[in-house]
Amino acid sequence: MTRDEWKIEPKVAVYTPPRLSSPSVFTWVILVGFAAFFIQGFLSADISMARLTQGVGNLGSFFAQAWPPDTSRLMPIARAMLETVNMALVGVTFGVILSIPFALLCSVNTAPNLIVRWIARMIVATLRTIPDLIWALIFVVAVGLGPLAGILAIIMDTIGFCARFFSERFEEIAKGPSEALSATGAGKLSVIFGAIIPEALASLTATSLFGVEKAIRSAVVLGLVGAGGIGVELSTSMRMFRYDQALTIILVILVVVIAFEQVSSAIRKRVI
Amino acid sequence: MKAPISVAGVHKHFGNIHVLRGLDFTTREGEGTVLLGANGCGKSTLMRCLIGLERVDAGTLKVAGTPIDKARGRLLRKTRSRVGMVFQRFNLVNNVSVFQNVLYGALGRHPLGLLRVAKPLAPRSERDRAMHCLARVGLADKANQRADTLSGGQQQRVAIARLLMQDPEIVLADEPIASLDPRAGREVMELLWEVVRERGMTVLCTLHQLDIALEYGDHILGMKAGTIQVDAPARELTADQLQSLYQGAVRVDGQQPVTRSEHETAAPLSAATYSSNREGAPA
């Protein structure tokens, strides 16, 4: 086989792709913009070798003081953890229940009209954009310190998360079964509750379980702003330099969060 | 007697594609009319228009005496409850039981909808009736199973039980056997026709198999590129006469099907050949 056998004509050669092609203007703008922010951020963080070595030293002394964990306050810590889990479950339950109507109003195939859908989407997007800690701060002002503020914050956060994923699910389920029910003369609500929700149910359950995991993690930190749960204990211990107590709290959180994730992934495996 | 289905001057576009190009036909009460035509000739679109799932651009569609293209709200639902539909893809609700799927057939009868039809709330009479319908299609023992655990043929029989539960005057069957293997397809066709005859329903059924069309249909409508080309009693037609429906410009979107040899087109076409390239077609 000779080289000539594979020769190409000039009119074919013009279509040969170049080895490297220049990125589009859009890509350039994004790349340059990203690089600028990255460099500025890196510089303003004032990263120096001295600070890093000092940090490692401080971390070492934190662990030295934290070990062995002080279990003398285990009972009050356990009670605070129970309160955290309670807040998460109550908040998620209400959040998921409220997410369903919101999701139905957000979805193309279930919303009564465009305006309602647009308003519902805006509400859900707003709920999602505001972080849970900020919701907690707002509700502490509104209803005072304690778990109620935390529950309300988790409800808001869950709606922002679940309503969005529920509505995506409603939009992508097969149209056939709902059309079949419409064709029997069923009304819109019957179609929604007879076909759309049953078809989406497995996915709704899985999303809700993610909601529970997410809520437990946020319930842990909500206490930092006084919205109930174990966060109060943690911030108190840290401020009083009782690192050994803080470590106990962290370990309790770790065990509970991991346990919940295991349970929820076991349930998820069964429903999907 | 008024025609159960009458279609006059119907046009329908999807974007630039002119799908239905002036259809005129009527069906007679108690008759089984089979609608034939190649993929993409507009059959399914017509069926969807007849139940109000799509709207036509021009012309009139009268179903059970109601102009369904103009019907909205309560009138549309009322008319739909008098028209049953059987789909190619069965369209059962997968996550609920077979029994519940059959109960759904009664949705159009109850103004309260699901509150009178959901399994825990349905009155005794409807529950008994649903079991009777399931027994009629030979699947009473599967009542408590989830619909998606059944085979294709069984799912279509459940869809027929749902139809029987609805007990409409008119049945629209959109390629009821195209997703099934030949044997299951024939069983389903046999059952559908038995049920329809027992209840004296009028049927409009789209099919791809010429032999089955001529065997079951009382009347044949042939569609080609969005127009009606054949409109005659089945006994006056032969398979050869219907071949022209599948030759030349058959589609509404201008794409041409892969040409088959004379021998292949003459043979009754299997369900599998057809269902494979149906999904993307706009008709």
Side-chain angles (χ1 to χ4, degrees), chain A residues 163-230:
Chain A
R164 189 216 167 145
F165 284 101
F166 286 4
S167 86
E168 279 179 8
R169 190 67 199 122
F170 291 151
E171 284 176 358
E172 71 199 15
I173 57 158
K175 274 194 296 184
S178 5
E179 284 185 348
L181 293 206
S182 302
T184 65
K188 208 162 181 179
L189 280 175
S190 294
V191 173
I192 289 172
F193 288 96
I196 295 178
I197 290 183
E199 286 274 321
L201 199 62
S203 165
L204 303 195
T205 314
T207 307
S208 307
L209 287 166
F210 275 124
V212 175
E213 290 178 27
K214 193 167 129 62
I216 287 182
R217 279 192 294 267
S218 54
V220 164
V221 283
L222 291 184
L224 296 176
V225 296
I230 203 164

Side-chain angles (χ1 to χ4, degrees), chain A residues 175-203 271, chain B residues 48 51 53 76-78 80-81 83-85 87 90-96 104-105 107-109 112-115 162 166:
Chain A
K175 274 194 296 184
S178 5
E179 284 185 348
L181 293 206
S182 302
T184 65
K188 208 162 181 179
L189 280 175
S190 294
V191 173
I192 289 172
F193 288 96
I196 295 178
I197 290 183
E199 286 274 321
L201 199 62
S203 165
V271 293
Chain B
R48 294 172 60 81
I51 194 91
L53 289 172
L76 178 62
R77 290 209 299 276
K78 185 113 191 70
R80 279 173 168 175
S81 73
V83 183
M85 190 142 188
F87 299 84
F90 328 131
N91 288 351
L92 302 180
V93 181
N94 286 320
N95 272 338
V96 305
Y104 283 153
L107 272 173
R109 273 203 287 282
L112 287 175
L114 208 58
L115 294 177
R162 178 171 68 187
Q166 185 184 345

Side-chain angles (χ1 to χ4, degrees), chain B:
Chain B
M1 196 67 224
K2 276 191 110 174
I5 301 174
S6 78
V7 171
V10 162
H11 287 266
K12 168 83 184 165
H13 294 79
F14 282 123
N16 290 329
I17 301 173
H18 193 172
V19 184
L20 303 180
R21 305 172 181 177
L23 297 180
D24 294 281
F25 68 87
T26 56
T27 64
R28 269 180 292 179
E29 194 163 356
E31 260 194 5
T33 304
V34 173
L35 177 62
L36 288 170
N39 292 323
C41 76
K43 299 189 300 293
S44 295
T45 305
L46 172 63
M47 297 299 255
R48 294 172 60 81
C49 290
L50 286 172
I51 194 91
L53 289 172
E54 300 281 355
R55 297 286 171 185
V56 297
D57 302 334
T60 53
L61 290 165
K62 268 197 171 171
V63 178
T66 310
I68 195 143
D69 51 315
K70 307 217 168 43
R72 295 278 188 283
R74 187 165 302 170
L75 178 63
L76 178 62
R77 290 209 299 276
K78 185 113 191 70
T79 312
R80 279 173 168 175
S81 73
R82 299 167 62 192
V83 183
M85 190 142 188
V86 180
F87 299 84
Q88 182 190 350
R89 296 242 146 244
F90 328 131
N91 288 351
L92 302 180
V93 181
N94 286 320
N95 272 338
V96 305
S97 65
V98 166
F99 182 59
Q100 180 66 73
N101 267 291
V102 177
L103 279 170
Y104 283 153
L107 272 173
R109 273 203 287 282
H110 296 285
L112 287 175
L114 208 58
L115 294 177
R116 301 295 283 162
V117 167
K119 192 170 66 171
L121 305 174
R124 180 68 187 269
S125 57
E126 295 288 19
R127 290 171 58 89
D128 287 350
R129 184 163 166 181
M131 281 316 290
H132 176 89
C133 297
L134 262 181
R136 177 65 192 84
V137 302
L139 290 172
D141 56 323
K142 308 273 192 240
N144 213 21
Q145 279 191 29
R146 275 172 51 144
D148 50 6
T149 60
L150 302 186
S151 72
Q154 290 173 328
Q155 290 195 35
Q156 195 63 301
R157 277 152 68 191
V158 174
I160 293 174
R162 178 171 68 187
L163 177 80
L164 193 55
M165 184 74 185
Q166 185 184 345
D167 199 21
E169 299 149 43
I170 300 168
V171 175
L172 302 173
D174 189 9
E175 296 178 30
I177 61 173
S179 312
L180 304 174
D181 66 51
R183 178 153 163 244
R186 202 162 257 281
E187 283 169 11
V188 162
M189 198 67 199
E190 191 67 39
L191 177 67
L192 177 64
W193 239 247
E194 276 173 29
V195 163
V196 158
R197 292 270 183 268
E198 280 167 19
R199 307 294 305 174
M201 299 166 180
T202 306
V203 200
L204 179 63
C205 175
T206 64
L207 281 178
H208 275 309
Q209 296 88 337
L210 298 184
D211 54 338
I212 292 185
L214 289 170
E215 185 180 337
Y216 290 91
D218 300 314
H219 197 91
I220 304 281
L221 289 171
M223 228 176 136
K224 187 172 177 179
T227 57
I228 296 284
Q229 300 273 324
V230 177
D231 187 346
R235 67 188 122 73
E236 293 173 11
L237 293 165
T238 63
D240 289 340
Q241 286 171 290
L242 296 171
Q243 280 305 330
S244 68
L245 295 173
Y246 298 93
Q247 281 153 11
V250 296
R251 297 183 63 94
V252 291
D253 53 7
Q255 293 175 29
Q256 287 316 313
V258 182
T259 18
R260 294 188 177 82
S261 73
E262 197 61 32
H263 174 71
E264 272 174 325
T265 25
L269 293 151
S270 74
T273 328
Y274 273 100
S275 51
S276 61
N277 65 351
R278 243 190 63 66
E279 299 303 322

Side-chain angles (χ1 to χ4, degrees), chain A residues 55 65 90 143 147 184 191 242 245:
Chain A
Q65 288 177 49
V90 173
V143 301
T184 65
V191 173
R242 291 298 307 269
Q245 278 181 11

